[in-house]
Amino acid sequence: MSLKAINLERVKNNVSNPKVWIVIGVSVAGIFILTAETRRRRLKGRYVIREDYGAFIERFELLPFPQPPPPAAKQPLSGLTFAVSDVFDVKEYVSGFGNPDWKRTHEEAEKTAIVVTALLKDGATCVGRTVMDELSFGTTGENSHYGTPTNPAMLSYVPGGSSSGSAVAVAAELIDFAIGTDTIGGVRIPASFCGILGFRPSHGVVSTIGVLPNSQSLDTVGIFARDPSVLHRVGHVLLRLNPVEPRRTRRIVVADDLFQLSKVPQQKTVYIVSKVTEKLSGYQQPKHMNIGQYISSNVPGLKYFHNEESNLQNGTKALKALSSAMLLLQRYEFKTNHEEWIKTVKPRLGSDDDGILVIPTVADTPLKLDSKKALLTEYNERLFALLSIATMSGCCQVSIPFGKHEDSTIGVSFIAFHGSDKFLLDTVLDMYQSLQGQVNAVTSLPPSLDLNGNMDASELLKEKGNAAYKGKQWNKAASYYTEAIKLDESNATFYCNRAAAYLELGCFQQAEEDCSKAISLDKKNVKAYLRRGTARESVLYYKEALQDFKHALVLEPQNKVAKGAEKRLRKLVS
């Protein structure tokens, strides 16, 4: 899939000097810190499910337009109910932007948002307005004024934001579908956390007239649904799509490096997708690529957003730079749109092809309710690294529930190029039932063949791996070490050596797992601590990485690599 559509020129059109972005980011942060992430208040019985799961700010009913007389076709959304988040204008109601002071200082809407009117015209009934992060800022979905909606899939965890109430209302089966805004993840995050479908359309293809803007260069109107056929129907209405187009072969591309930034299990995901594409016509078997390196090579403008002191791999650097550009653009445009109101009111704020890219929707599992603020910085860095790809390229993306991993809901996303919304919605409808069947059937990959052999054979394989490693044949080295491990699973060196190969390949999650296994077998394995620290730093787990380098220094006080890493990481976590 091509990401050449990424256009950083729109950033430069606003502010040409990259250094100005830092000033803008800091000044906006001075107006308000991401609201739901700084001051959070919970009702006393927060783990008790409130009425309607706390999803709604207000209930009302907007009836659909009358069904045209025969021979007109039946309205495509007839009989479906939906809700809107607190940014959509509804005639004679005040859009509150998730904040009581905004609602108090603004008038009733004179017209209903175009997207809401379109849904009513096609037969759907609107039943109310839902809770959201204040001013569309935040990733957790918490709101100190209206209460945090209860995540039906994980009761003691946040629902995700910003469009939290809309996602919760759908997940709790209170409505058939909902709409919310996705600027930097407002639909995709809560869809993943609540275990439902969440669609972010291509930028600019769905009208935002009558929708309160956060950052117009990034804002989109997204859709939540449980049923892929409902998502498909609503998508066709809002996108005004032609129901018929020639069927194209679908190429599935797995972004291997992005799975290293996430806790979503890559092997299980690839296995499920491969099994489904084997059985369906018109699909090619999944290919693999490093999307971070691709972006780094094809978007030279990102060099202005790199942190030169960072010790991250090039691909990870590019993703972090892309998310930095996204956040700076969002803050600049939000300031342009709403700075005067913020200063005046001083509101009370709570704390070109047919390819489909497969990535984790989010990096981590949902945070627990009442999580400490200190956890949010690194958490959001990993989150935004994944979300920035579709946001900054303008591509369309859909988050698909992939069951649970270690008792947490997980979402896997399909991304297609800008303007291919029908292609993507058709793909989801085509694959969804088969995907869910595989998700339900596969609790884990088939176990590796259990081989028994002698130590000499395993040592020989290790030496072959070492030779391949020295020759920079990282994949071959990893394969040799894997075969050695099959013969002797108790040898810490084999795991540690394979971790070194994985680091060179950018497979940070596998490298971390191998180092942890090596340490469990040999508590004094200095190389394992160093390599695990490197893997953790590469996926932005700075505190854990710092502890690993400290362990290495305890075992080997004069180790220069550990000393340098400890000094660098102390600055990042202080």
Side-chain angles (χ1 to χ4, degrees):
M1 190 200 75
S2 173
L3 285 177
K4 290 183 180 178
I6 294 177
N7 184 6
L8 292 178
E9 288 302 317
R10 58 188 179 190
V11 177
K12 295 179 183 178
N13 288 338
N14 288 314
V15 179
S16 59
N17 184 348
K19 293 181 179 179
V20 175
W21 285 105
I22 307 304
V23 177
I24 292 169
V26 171
S27 64
V28 175
I31 296 173
F32 62 91
I33 306 300
L34 297 182
T35 60
E37 300 171 359
T38 55
R39 280 171 42 195
R40 297 186 291 275
R41 177 170 54 84
R42 220 42 100 244
L43 297 177
K44 288 185 178 179
R46 61 184 176 272
Y47 300 130
V48 176
I49 299 174
R50 295 183 288 147
E51 182 181 1
D52 288 345
Y53 287 78
F56 287 87
I57 287 177
E58 59 182 332
R59 284 282 205 167
F60 51 73
E61 187 175 63
L62 302 179
L63 295 175
F65 285 35
Q67 167 71 40
K74 185 180 178 182
Q75 294 165 311
L77 306 182
S78 179
L80 298 181
T81 58
F82 73 101
V84 301
S85 62
D86 200 19
V87 293
F88 292 89
D89 282 348
V90 175
K91 187 177 180 180
E92 299 180 355
Y93 289 88
V94 181
S95 300
F97 221 171
N99 180 275
D101 286 330
W102 182 280
K103 189 170 186 176
R104 175 179 57 80
T105 56
H106 287 78
E107 303 294 327
E108 294 177 355
E110 296 181 359
K111 295 182 179 180
T112 297
I114 286 179
V115 289
V116 178
T117 301
L119 296 171
L120 297 173
K121 280 183 177 179
D122 280 278
T125 300
C126 182
V127 298
R129 190 188 298 278
T130 55
V131 176
M132 56 178 281
D133 275 300
E134 294 176 82
L135 312 184
S136 296
F137 271 96
T139 59
T140 62
E142 298 168 289
N143 189 300
S144 62
H145 305 292
Y146 301 112
T148 300
T150 302
N151 183 341
M154 302 176 69
L155 297 179
S156 60
Y157 290 79
V158 299
S162 62
S163 303
S164 53
S166 288
V168 165
V170 172
E173 302 186 16
L174 304 176
I175 50 179
D176 296 300
F177 69 94
I179 55 174
T181 53
D182 189 309
T183 302
I184 59 172
V187 167
R188 291 166 288 170
I189 297 169
S192 179
F193 286 2
C194 294
I196 58 175
L197 291 158
F199 175 64
R200 174 193 165 95
S202 298
H203 184 266
V205 301
V206 176
S207 173
T208 55
I209 295 174
V211 184
L212 292 172
N214 179 289
S215 172
Q216 52 269 33
S217 293
L218 308 176
D219 290 340
T220 59
V221 174
I223 309 165
F224 297 100
R226 296 181 305 279
D227 186 329
S229 67
V230 171
L231 180 70
H232 194 262
R233 286 152 62 190
V234 175
H236 272 243
V237 167
L238 294 186
L239 295 159
R240 300 185 297 279
L241 296 173
N242 183 345
V244 179
E245 70 172 25
R247 183 176 177 88
R248 291 178 283 169
T249 299
R250 289 164 166 84
R251 294 189 304 109
I252 305 295
V253 181
V254 179
D256 289 334
D257 55 321
L258 300 192
F259 279 90
Q260 308 311 314
L261 289 171
S262 171
K263 296 191 176 182
V264 174
Q266 180 180 4
Q267 286 182 303
K268 179 178 178 180
T269 301
V270 174
Y271 178 80
I272 290 169
V273 173
S274 298
K275 284 294 181 183
V276 171
T277 55
E278 281 176 7
K279 297 177 181 178
L280 297 175
S281 62
Y283 289 82
Q284 294 182 7
Q285 279 292 289
K287 306 293 185 184
H288 299 265
M289 74 177 295
N290 186 308
I291 193 69
Q293 291 181 0
Y294 183 88
I295 292 173
S296 181
S297 300
N298 288 275
V299 191
L302 283 178
K303 64 184 179 182
Y304 297 118
F305 302 93
H306 279 156
N307 177 1
E308 296 303 328
E309 295 181 1
S310 172
N311 194 41
L312 303 177
Q313 301 266 341
N314 282 338
T316 308
K317 267 188 182 180
L319 291 170
K320 190 173 180 182
L322 190 66
S323 64
S324 296
M326 174 184 74
L327 292 172
L328 291 171
L329 177 59
Q330 180 203 21
R331 290 169 185 171
Y332 171 75
E333 292 193 338
F334 184 91
K335 181 180 178 182
T336 302
N337 294 329
H338 304 302
E339 181 182 21
E340 184 177 350
W341 177 81
I342 294 281
K343 288 182 176 179
T344 302
V345 176
K346 295 181 175 60
R348 295 176 297 110
L349 299 174
S351 85
D352 300 317
D353 55 23
D354 53 4
I356 295 171
L357 186 66
V358 179
I359 71 169
T361 302
V362 295
D364 293 298
T365 56
L367 290 172
K368 280 202 166 188
L369 291 165
D370 293 324
S371 293
K372 294 180 180 179
K373 176 188 170 184
L375 297 173
L376 286 168
T377 302
E378 292 181 18
Y379 183 87
N380 280 340
E381 281 192 0
R382 293 188 295 275
L383 195 70
F384 293 144
L386 298 176
L387 296 167
S388 64
I389 294 171
T391 300
M392 291 299 282
S393 67
C395 294
C396 48
Q397 176 175 346
V398 62
S399 178
I400 302 171
F402 257 57
K404 289 192 173 184
H405 177 64
E406 297 178 352
D407 296 325
S408 293
T409 55
I410 59 172
V412 172
S413 278
F414 289 0
I415 300 178
F417 65 91
H418 182 277
S420 62
D421 300 75
K422 175 175 168 52
F423 176 70
L424 184 58
L425 288 169
D426 288 350
T427 299
V428 174
L429 184 64
D430 195 38
M431 296 183 70
Y432 188 81
Q433 295 303 327
S434 296
L435 286 171
Q436 295 307 304
Q438 286 294 329
V439 168
N440 293 333
V442 178
T443 54
S444 63
L445 284 172
S448 300
L449 186 62
D450 185 16
L451 300 175
N452 292 314
N454 58 54
M455 196 66 175
D456 291 339
S458 64
E459 286 292 334
L460 178 61
L461 286 166
K462 184 198 76 172
E463 292 304 318
K464 287 185 176 181
N466 292 347
Y469 184 91
K470 289 177 182 177
K472 298 184 179 181
Q473 296 175 298
W474 319 124
N475 277 308
K476 184 178 287 188
S479 296
Y480 281 129
Y481 295 137
T482 297
E483 293 304 314
I485 289 169
K486 288 178 182 178
L487 296 175
D488 183 4
E489 296 181 347
S490 63
N491 191 309
T493 300
F494 297 169
Y495 289 99
C496 191
N497 286 10
R498 188 170 68 174
Y502 279 148
L503 284 174
E504 295 293 341
L505 291 166
C507 299
F508 306 119
Q509 184 177 331
Q510 286 97 323
E512 181 187 16
E513 291 172 355
D514 272 358
C515 290
S516 295
K517 181 65 175 179
I519 290 167
S520 72
L521 294 169
D522 178 8
K523 303 292 185 185
K524 296 182 178 181
N525 193 319
V526 175
K527 288 182 179 179
Y529 282 112
L530 292 174
R531 289 167 186 170
R532 189 170 71 175
T534 301
R536 287 174 167 175
E537 184 181 1
S538 295
V539 294
L540 314 180
Y541 283 95
Y542 300 134
K543 291 180 181 178
E544 292 86 346
L546 178 60
Q547 292 303 314
D548 280 332
F549 291 119
K550 284 182 177 179
H551 277 297
L553 283 173
V554 169
L555 295 169
E556 198 172 293
Q558 300 306 314
N559 189 290
K560 293 181 180 180
V561 174
K563 279 185 175 181
E566 185 196 34
K567 183 178 179 181
R568 179 178 64 253
L569 288 169
R570 278 186 181 278
K571 294 179 180 179
L572 291 174
V573 301
S574 60

